[in-house]
Amino acid sequence: QQPVQSPQAVILREGEDAVINCSSSKALYSVHWYRQKHGEAPVFLMILLKGGEQKGHEKISASFNEKKQQSSLYLTASQLSYSGTYFCGTEDPDSWGKLQFGAGTQVVVTP
Amino acid sequence: SQTIHQWPATLVQPVGSPLSLECTVEGTSNPNLYWYRQAAGRGLQLLFYSVGIGQISSEVPQNLSASRPQDRQFILSSKKLLLSDSGFYLCAWLLNTEAFFGQGTRLTVV
């Protein structure tokens, strides 16, 4: 079952914050986050494996809730380079190896 | 270092023609391999995945098929393309906790 991702799109001004959510109806093995620039392949940002885990790289961070059914990606003090489509990918513990993606969140950061 | 090669980058094919897209991985062994399709402005649709040689799981029962003849090779095929097969096809591999995508093939069926 594909994860449900929200919102579909968000427009930010440089320096503003945004949150992207990814949820599943059952506990997951892991959650991956990717960013895709127009016309390019998605690029891996980070993976979360443990309930309650939080990770970050510079001003982009993510969390995985205790039940491992929801993850959020936080864009803090957004930069123009953050523009793109963000996807969460989930691994179902009942279907080992199956990596499915949400519908994506388009992020546009304006000057 | 691990790399993934996918070709061709672009392809224009007539309706009814066959298709073969190839993806190879270097620098790793026994990776999980994936084929996704992305329609314009849309999400990533999982088509096939493979956890080992000869092991293919199909998510989309259409006129596409996949094969994994070698550990690091994943092939997407079709005997007769449809207009609806147009899209951006992405190969990906997953090893342990990291996943990487190939550069993609933009297929236009005319």
Side-chain angles (χ1 to χ4, degrees), chain A residues 2 29 32 34 36 39-44 47 49 85 87 91 95-104, chain B residues 32 34 36 38 41-46 49 51 59 88 90 94 96-104 106:
Chain A
Q2 283 180 284
Y29 174 72
H32 304 228
Y34 297 80
Q36 184 180 31
E40 300 178 4
V43 174
F44 177 74
I47 182 172
L49 292 166
T85 301
F87 293 97
E91 292 182 80
S95 301
W96 186 75
K98 185 174 177 179
L99 178 60
Q100 291 184 288
F101 289 87
Chain B
N32 287 357
Y34 304 83
Y36 296 91
Q38 187 175 32
R42 306 294 294 273
L44 298 165
Q45 180 187 27
L46 177 61
Y49 68 100
V51 299
E59 294 297 305
F88 190 41
L90 289 156
L94 176 67
N96 297 326
T97 60
E98 294 190 36
F100 296 93
F101 285 83
Q103 289 306 298
R106 193 163 303 281

Side-chain angles (χ1 to χ4, degrees), chain B residues 46-68:
Chain B
L46 177 61
L47 300 176
F48 301 94
Y49 68 100
S50 171
V51 299
I53 297 175
Q55 299 180 61
I56 308 294
S57 295
S58 173
E59 294 297 305
V60 182
Q62 295 179 352
N63 65 321
L64 298 172
S65 62
S67 62
R68 185 171 178 174

Side-chain angles (χ1 to χ4, degrees), chain A residues 11 14 21 23 27 33 80:
Chain A
I11 300 174
E14 230 177 335
N21 296 306
S23 63
W33 285 98
L80 295 176

Side-chain angles (χ1 to χ4, degrees), chain A residues 58-96:
Chain A
E58 296 181 349
K59 292 186 177 177
I60 297 178
S61 61
S63 64
F64 201 9
N65 75 344
E66 289 291 341
K67 290 186 177 180
K68 300 181 73 174
Q69 288 182 260
Q70 184 171 355
S71 178
S72 296
L73 186 74
Y74 305 94
L75 307 180
T76 304
S78 58
Q79 306 170 16
L80 295 176
S81 61
Y82 288 2
S83 292
T85 301
Y86 289 78
F87 293 97
C88 68
T90 58
E91 292 182 80
D92 185 335
D94 297 331
S95 301
W96 186 75

